[in-house]
């Protein structure tokens, strides 16, 4: 049973930073991708960033340059560091996993690529 648990959300002023964490447990496949996605009220869910277990990283245009996705394989944890946060970054942030290890980046930046999801952590920027 795959389980993803997010943490690190909260309220922050515009221009501030947050680091989200996602612990991926019981994932038996070494080759996988983990993504961070978000959904604001009244909007569709969108991908923010994705990372392959081998290390490739991909970002949505809306966050590139101020967001870093990283992983600690020993801890089965994926991080999303967000800097220079803007009010439009306010959303529920979800961690999700997929076995589409060889998928092109444009696929990994689609919510439909992911099969296992966490419960989400709220980020509010004011």
């Amino acid at each position: 049973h795959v389980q993803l648990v997010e943490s690190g959300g909260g309220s922050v002023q515009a221009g501030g930073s947050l680091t989200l964490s996602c612990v991926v447990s019981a994932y038996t496949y070494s080759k996988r991708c983990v993504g961070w996605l978000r959904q604001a009220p009244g909007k569709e869910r969108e991908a923010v960033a994705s990372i392959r277990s081998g290390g490739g990283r991909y970002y949505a245009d809306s966050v590139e340059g101020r967001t870093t996705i990283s992983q600690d394989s020993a801890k089965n944890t994926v991080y999303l560091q967000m800097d220079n946060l803007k009010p439009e970054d306010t959303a529920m942030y979800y961690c999700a996993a997929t076995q589409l290890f060889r998928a092109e980046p444009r696929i990994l930046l689609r919510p439909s690529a992911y099969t296992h999801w966490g419960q989400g952590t709220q980020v509010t920027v004011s």
Side-chain angles (χ1 to χ4, degrees), residues 5 9 11 13-14 20 25 37 39 45 50 56 60 64 66 72 74 94 113-114 116 118 122:
V5 179
S11 297
Q13 291 188 339
L20 308 182
S25 63
L37 303 96
Q39 188 166 20
R45 193 170 293 188
S50 182
E64 189 151 21
R66 56 190 187 93
D72 184 335
Y94 298 91
Y114 297 90
H116 297 88
Q122 178 68 37

Side-chain angles (χ1 to χ4, degrees), residues 14-28:
S17 299
L18 277 177
T19 298
L20 308 182
S21 299
C22 172
V23 178
V24 184
S25 63
Y27 210 97
T28 58

Side-chain angles (χ1 to χ4, degrees), residues 39-59:
Q39 188 166 20
K43 295 188 177 181
E44 293 186 355
R45 193 170 293 188
E46 62 176 358
V48 176
S50 182
I51 187 167
R52 299 185 199 269
S53 53
R57 310 178 190 190
Y58 313 103
Y59 299 94

Side-chain angles (χ1 to χ4, degrees), residues 1 3 5-6 16 22 28 43 54 57-58 60 65 67-70 72 76 84 91 103 111 118 121:
H1 177 65
Q3 186 176 16
V5 179
E6 305 97 332
C22 172
T28 58
K43 295 188 177 181
R57 310 178 190 190
Y58 313 103
T67 299
T68 302
I69 190 170
S70 61
D72 184 335
N76 280 343
N84 191 23
T121 186

Side-chain angles (χ1 to χ4, degrees), residues 19-116:
T19 298
L20 308 182
S21 299
C22 172
V23 178
V24 184
S25 63
Y27 210 97
T28 58
Y29 300 97
S30 61
K31 293 184 178 179
R32 50 99 178 110
C33 298
V34 175
W36 282 98
L37 303 96
R38 66 186 182 185
Q39 188 166 20
K43 295 188 177 181
E44 293 186 355
R45 193 170 293 188
E46 62 176 358
V48 176
S50 182
I51 187 167
R52 299 185 199 269
S53 53
R57 310 178 190 190
Y58 313 103
Y59 299 94
D61 291 343
S62 58
V63 301
E64 189 151 21
R66 56 190 187 93
T67 299
T68 302
I69 190 170
S70 61
Q71 61 189 349
D72 184 335
S73 298
K75 297 181 178 179
N76 280 343
T77 301
V78 175
Y79 304 96
L80 185 72
Q81 180 180 338
M82 300 184 291
D83 300 314
N84 191 23
L85 283 162
K86 305 175 181 180
E88 52 263 42
D89 294 317
T90 295
M92 183 71 78
Y93 283 71
Y94 298 91
C95 174
T98 177
Q99 293 172 235
L100 296 178
F101 180 74
R102 299 186 185 279
E104 295 179 1
R106 63 183 180 88
I107 301 297
L108 296 176
L109 291 176
R110 294 176 183 172
S112 58
Y114 297 90
T115 54
H116 297 88

